[in-house]
Each structure stands twice: as C-alpha cells, then as structure tokens.
Amino acid sequence: MTAPQTTRLLPQAYRPLFAHAGFRRLLPALAASDLGDGMSVVAVAWLAIEIAPPGRSGMLLGAALAAYALPGAAGALLFGRWLRRLPAARLLAADSRIRALLLGCVPLAWALDVLHPVLYVALLAGSSVLHAWGNAGKYSLLAGLLPAEQRLAANALLSSSTSASIVIGPALAGFLAAAVSPAWLIGLDALSFAVLAVQVGRVRGPSGDAGDAGQAGRADGPPDEAAAPVDADRSAAGLHLLRKQPELLGVLALTWFFNFLYGPAEVALPLHVTDDLHAGAGLLGLYWALFGAGAVLGGLAAGALRRFPLWPVTLTIVAGWGLALVPFGLGAPAAVTLACFTLGGLIYGPFTALSYTLFQDRTPAAWLTTVLAARSAALLTAGPVGTALGGPLIALMGPRGVLAASGIATVVLALVAAVLRARTGQRAASRLV
C-alpha cells in the first residue's frame, strides 16, 4: 500500500500532518522511544531485583526508580539559565543522545559482569538528567514545525502514543523478560533513543535549516508553555501568589501528597510479585498494562466528570485509588488484585486533568502560566521522594504492608482534605453573613 493510500485511511484531521516530511520522520521514532520507556517501567525494576544483594532488593529498587526520575526534576530546575534559549531540536537531540549512551551502558556492563548496584543507579540517574528539557524540546519542535491549526492533532497523536506505550510496553517487557535479561530490554530503550537522535538531526524547519525547526514558525504564537520545564523565576512568583490563595494552595498540597503516597506503592508492587506471589516479570507487566488501560479509559472519561463539582470528584478519586490498594495488604489472590489495580487505574485516570482544571478555574488568566510553573516546580519532587522512601519502608513492613499502608494513608489524605475543605467553606460563608 502506497503512502497516499495509507494517508487516506486516516481521519481527516490527521491527514495534513503527514504532508510534512519532518513530522513523518519524527513520529515513528517518538513512538519507538515511548514504547522503550513503557518497557523500562518493568525492566528497570526487574533488573534492580536481580542484581540486588541479598536482603537489599527493596532499597535498590527504590533507589533505581527514584534515579530514573528525580535527576530530571533537578535538571528542569537547575539548568534553565543555560538551556532555555537553545533550539528545541538541540534539546531533544541532547536528551536522546545522553539517554542512548548511558542506558546503553547498562546491558554492556551486565554482559561484562560489572553492573554493580551503585553503577546501575548512577547510569539511570545520568540518563534522566535532561529528560524534562527533552520533553519540552519535543513539543516545541513540533510547534515550530507545524502550522498552528495542525498542532492539536499532532499533540493528540503524541498523547495517544504515550498512552499506548503505558498499555503495551509493560506487557511486552513482561513477556520478553521470560526469555532475555531485563538489561537487554533497557538496551532496546537506549536503541530507540539513538534512532530518535538521528531522526531529529534530519528534521528541517520551514527555513530549511536542520535542527532549527523549533525556532521557526513562532509568529503565530509560542508553543504550549505547560510542556516547558520549570522557569525558576516564574516558579518563585507563582509560589508567592499561591500563598495568597488558600484554595489553590490546598489543591497543590493535595496533589503533592497524593503523588508522594503513590511512590512507595510503585516500589512495593514488583517485590509483591516476586516475594509474595512468587511470580515472574510477566505478571508485573500485566499489572502495569491493566493499570495503563484503566488510566486511558479514565482519562477519556474526565470530560464527562466536568458536569459535577470538581472538589468532591477530585477527593473521591483520591479515596478510590487508596481503597483499590487495600486488598493487596489483605492477602487477596492475584486475580483479585489485578482487578483492583485495573479499577485503580480507571479511578486515577481523570485526576491530572481535573487538578489542572481546578487551577484554571480558580486562577486569574494573567497569572495562570506563572501559577502552573509553580505547580510543576512543587510537584516535581513528590513522586521521586515517595519512591525513594519505598525501599526503607519495605524493609520494615514488607511489600504487602507498604501497599496497604499507601492505600490507607491515601484514604486518610482524602478525608483530611474533605474536612479542611468543609471548614474553609464554613469560614468563608461566615464572613459573608
């Protein structure tokens, strides 16, 4: 089937995108890197379990998962002064090359039998240090490459690729880990970023200059600022404004603790599979694939929830996710906990969209980007810090105990937030009397 015939099979809104040679080159490479990252959700955790010293798997697993995310948060905050003026293509290419090189060292070190836990964590940390900037470069590059009226369709394709990788990647990694070491799966992730780096170098903007597409086409407006890494000055101004807005500060605190309490569960699940269920990577991949499928469906349902009061719906989501984790601590069989994890993904799916909507509704338009930058700066640490804490907690409580404790603490968080919300509303009403 020829390219024009294939294009005619696409919905009308997406057909003009494939008239751009640069977009046609980038999309498969971006999809491959998304799939590689989806596989790494299982591979990074499983390899940590395999190489951990006896009795230290929880600690190494927490450190590895934190290393795969926390340096990216630090890089977003620390390197803005030097990186925010670089062309988008150079940012994306630099991140892709670093990830390809350092993640590629993981299977090499494993094959040479020198993959010490400290080296493993260091390689993961180094690979993620520019990832927030690479993600920003990706969206900015497409914003400069495409006309304004085609950006929404392009962003929808990228979002669909990310969602699909959450479903397919872990399941595929679980299947392949039965035949090869997870180190080789991380190597496949590295290879996908090497291909992406090459393809980014081949992209030419409207001016005809390779690698400068992200700087072209800006006359019709800047790219979506929500995709950019955090600007430190803007974040400081936003935090100053938030201190004067108790409701927004409450939304931010709720989201931070929700993400923080999710972190230990992410560490405990792989060890629950190995230590409690005595199963392999295939089952871990199935857990994450079902969670991803539920989250995709839940995210699509977010629009329908807009009719209801946002605060009660948001608190219900927090409590519902916590309740979905409790059966893990009760020793429920795998079939039951798989169903709970799927339901948890379905419940969790709309949370981010609703949280952003609360900020959009309660923030003056002139301050919205400033407040959202502050939100991003505050939340960058929540998940990685919770993940790092997961290792020590597992040593004390075991995987089942951590999963149950994470769930119960999340339910308590929702109840405390509901009480504080009710009291705030009563005080506001009394001032009007």
Tab-separated table of all heavy atoms in Angstrom, residues 16-39:
chain	number	residue	atom	x	y	z
A	16	PRO	N	-3.342	16.097	7.029
A	16	PRO	CA	-2.355	17.133	6.665
A	16	PRO	C	-1.020	16.986	7.375
A	16	PRO	O	0.007	17.468	6.866
A	16	PRO	CB	-3.054	18.442	7.078
A	16	PRO	CG	-4.514	18.107	7.105
A	16	PRO	CD	-4.576	16.694	7.559
A	17	LEU	N	-0.994	16.341	8.545
A	17	LEU	CA	0.266	16.195	9.283
A	17	LEU	C	1.310	15.455	8.471
A	17	LEU	O	2.502	15.755	8.536
A	17	LEU	CB	0.023	15.445	10.599
A	17	LEU	CG	-0.867	16.115	11.641
A	17	LEU	CD1	-1.107	15.171	12.802
A	17	LEU	CD2	-0.243	17.403	12.140
A	18	PHE	N	0.854	14.468	7.698
A	18	PHE	CA	1.800	13.605	7.000
A	18	PHE	C	2.264	14.195	5.674
A	18	PHE	O	3.017	13.564	4.942
A	18	PHE	CB	1.171	12.222	6.811
A	18	PHE	CG	0.981	11.514	8.117
A	18	PHE	CD1	-0.192	11.683	8.848
A	18	PHE	CD2	1.978	10.720	8.644
A	18	PHE	CE1	-0.358	11.055	10.068
A	18	PHE	CE2	1.817	10.085	9.863
A	18	PHE	CZ	0.652	10.251	10.587
A	19	ALA	N	1.829	15.426	5.390
A	19	ALA	CA	2.413	16.173	4.282
A	19	ALA	C	3.770	16.756	4.657
A	19	ALA	O	4.516	17.204	3.783
A	19	ALA	CB	1.472	17.288	3.830
A	20	HIS	N	4.088	16.782	5.940
A	20	HIS	CA	5.350	17.315	6.448
A	20	HIS	C	6.362	16.173	6.570
A	20	HIS	O	6.183	15.252	7.380
A	20	HIS	CB	5.159	17.983	7.805
A	20	HIS	CG	4.237	19.168	7.757
A	20	HIS	ND1	4.673	20.449	7.517
A	20	HIS	CD2	2.891	19.263	7.900
A	20	HIS	CE1	3.648	21.281	7.518
A	20	HIS	NE2	2.550	20.580	7.748
A	21	ALA	N	7.408	16.227	5.786
A	21	ALA	CA	8.415	15.165	5.820
A	21	ALA	C	9.045	15.040	7.202
A	21	ALA	O	9.315	13.935	7.676
A	21	ALA	CB	9.489	15.436	4.766
A	22	GLY	N	9.278	16.177	7.864
A	22	GLY	CA	9.880	16.133	9.191
A	22	GLY	C	8.999	15.416	10.203
A	22	GLY	O	9.481	14.616	11.002
A	23	PHE	N	7.711	15.687	10.154
A	23	PHE	CA	6.789	15.013	11.074
A	23	PHE	C	6.740	13.519	10.780
A	23	PHE	O	6.700	12.699	11.705
A	23	PHE	CB	5.397	15.629	10.965
A	23	PHE	CG	4.405	15.042	11.934
A	23	PHE	CD1	4.357	15.493	13.240
A	23	PHE	CD2	3.542	14.040	11.534
A	23	PHE	CE1	3.459	14.949	14.139
A	23	PHE	CE2	2.631	13.493	12.428
A	23	PHE	CZ	2.595	13.944	13.733
A	24	ARG	N	6.735	13.153	9.498
A	24	ARG	CA	6.707	11.733	9.142
A	24	ARG	C	7.945	11.014	9.656
A	24	ARG	O	7.889	9.847	10.024
A	24	ARG	CB	6.604	11.563	7.627
A	24	ARG	CG	5.274	11.979	7.025
A	24	ARG	CD	5.077	11.335	5.647
A	24	ARG	NE	6.190	11.605	4.741
A	24	ARG	CZ	6.254	12.662	3.927
A	24	ARG	NH1	5.276	13.549	3.929
A	24	ARG	NH2	7.289	12.829	3.136
A	25	ARG	N	9.092	11.698	9.673
A	25	ARG	CA	10.308	11.079	10.199
A	25	ARG	C	10.271	10.961	11.718
A	25	ARG	O	10.732	9.971	12.290
A	25	ARG	CB	11.531	11.892	9.783
A	25	ARG	CG	11.857	11.862	8.298
A	25	ARG	CD	13.232	12.467	8.052
A	25	ARG	NE	13.529	12.560	6.634
A	25	ARG	CZ	13.497	13.679	5.937
A	25	ARG	NH1	13.190	14.817	6.545
A	25	ARG	NH2	13.781	13.683	4.651
A	26	LEU	N	9.750	12.005	12.351
A	26	LEU	CA	9.807	12.047	13.813
A	26	LEU	C	8.818	11.106	14.479
A	26	LEU	O	9.148	10.483	15.495
A	26	LEU	CB	9.547	13.475	14.301
A	26	LEU	CG	10.731	14.424	14.377
A	26	LEU	CD1	10.270	15.794	14.855
A	26	LEU	CD2	11.796	13.879	15.310
A	27	LEU	N	7.608	11.001	13.966
A	27	LEU	CA	6.562	10.283	14.688
A	27	LEU	C	6.932	8.829	14.991
A	27	LEU	O	6.793	8.386	16.140
A	27	LEU	CB	5.243	10.361	13.918
A	27	LEU	CG	4.045	9.724	14.630
A	27	LEU	CD1	3.778	10.428	15.963
A	27	LEU	CD2	2.807	9.771	13.756
A	28	PRO	N	7.422	8.037	14.017
A	28	PRO	CA	7.791	6.657	14.373
A	28	PRO	C	8.907	6.589	15.410
A	28	PRO	O	8.889	5.714	16.284
A	28	PRO	CB	8.245	6.059	13.030
A	28	PRO	CG	7.626	6.918	11.983
A	28	PRO	CD	7.590	8.289	12.567
A	29	ALA	N	9.879	7.508	15.326
A	29	ALA	CA	10.968	7.494	16.306
A	29	ALA	C	10.468	7.868	17.687
A	29	ALA	O	10.882	7.279	18.693
A	29	ALA	CB	12.080	8.454	15.856
A	30	LEU	N	9.563	8.860	17.769
A	30	LEU	CA	8.990	9.239	19.055
A	30	LEU	C	8.152	8.094	19.628
A	30	LEU	O	8.210	7.816	20.833
A	30	LEU	CB	8.125	10.493	18.894
A	30	LEU	CG	8.875	11.799	18.613
A	30	LEU	CD1	7.891	12.905	18.248
A	30	LEU	CD2	9.719	12.217	19.817
A	31	ALA	N	7.382	7.422	18.768
A	31	ALA	CA	6.578	6.291	19.232
A	31	ALA	C	7.468	5.162	19.738
A	31	ALA	O	7.164	4.517	20.755
A	31	ALA	CB	5.665	5.798	18.108
A	32	ALA	N	8.599	4.918	19.055
A	32	ALA	CA	9.516	3.867	19.495
A	32	ALA	C	10.125	4.196	20.854
A	32	ALA	O	10.272	3.321	21.720
A	32	ALA	CB	10.617	3.674	18.454
A	33	SER	N	10.483	5.477	21.061
A	33	SER	CA	11.057	5.847	22.363
A	33	SER	C	10.010	5.761	23.467
A	33	SER	O	10.326	5.393	24.602
A	33	SER	CB	11.667	7.248	22.297
A	33	SER	OG	10.677	8.240	22.097
A	34	ASP	N	8.756	6.091	23.145
A	34	ASP	CA	7.680	5.915	24.126
A	34	ASP	C	7.538	4.444	24.508
A	34	ASP	O	7.394	4.097	25.688
A	34	ASP	CB	6.350	6.421	23.559
A	34	ASP	CG	6.253	7.933	23.539
A	34	ASP	OD1	7.007	8.581	24.282
A	34	ASP	OD2	5.418	8.463	22.782
A	35	LEU	N	7.564	3.570	23.507
A	35	LEU	CA	7.447	2.137	23.778
A	35	LEU	C	8.628	1.644	24.609
A	35	LEU	O	8.461	0.834	25.530
A	35	LEU	CB	7.357	1.367	22.469
A	35	LEU	CG	7.202	-0.153	22.582
A	35	LEU	CD1	5.918	-0.506	23.330
A	35	LEU	CD2	7.222	-0.797	21.205
A	36	GLY	N	9.827	2.149	24.288
A	36	GLY	CA	11.000	1.771	25.081
A	36	GLY	C	10.862	2.177	26.533
A	36	GLY	O	11.189	1.403	27.442
A	37	ASP	N	10.364	3.390	26.774
A	37	ASP	CA	10.149	3.828	28.154
A	37	ASP	C	9.063	2.997	28.833
A	37	ASP	O	9.128	2.733	30.041
A	37	ASP	CB	9.776	5.313	28.176
A	37	ASP	CG	10.994	6.210	28.107
A	37	ASP	OD1	12.114	5.721	28.335
A	37	ASP	OD2	10.841	7.409	27.814
A	38	GLY	N	8.022	2.607	28.068
A	38	GLY	CA	6.991	1.746	28.635
A	38	GLY	C	7.551	0.400	29.064
A	38	GLY	O	7.200	-0.134	30.126
A	39	MET	N	8.456	-0.153	28.278
A	39	MET	CA	9.107	-1.409	28.652
A	39	MET	C	10.002	-1.227	29.872
A	39	MET	O	10.117	-2.125	30.712
A	39	MET	CB	9.914	-1.931	27.465
A	39	MET	CG	9.069	-2.371	26.283
A	39	MET	SD	10.055	-2.763	24.811
A	39	MET	CE	11.061	-4.105	25.427
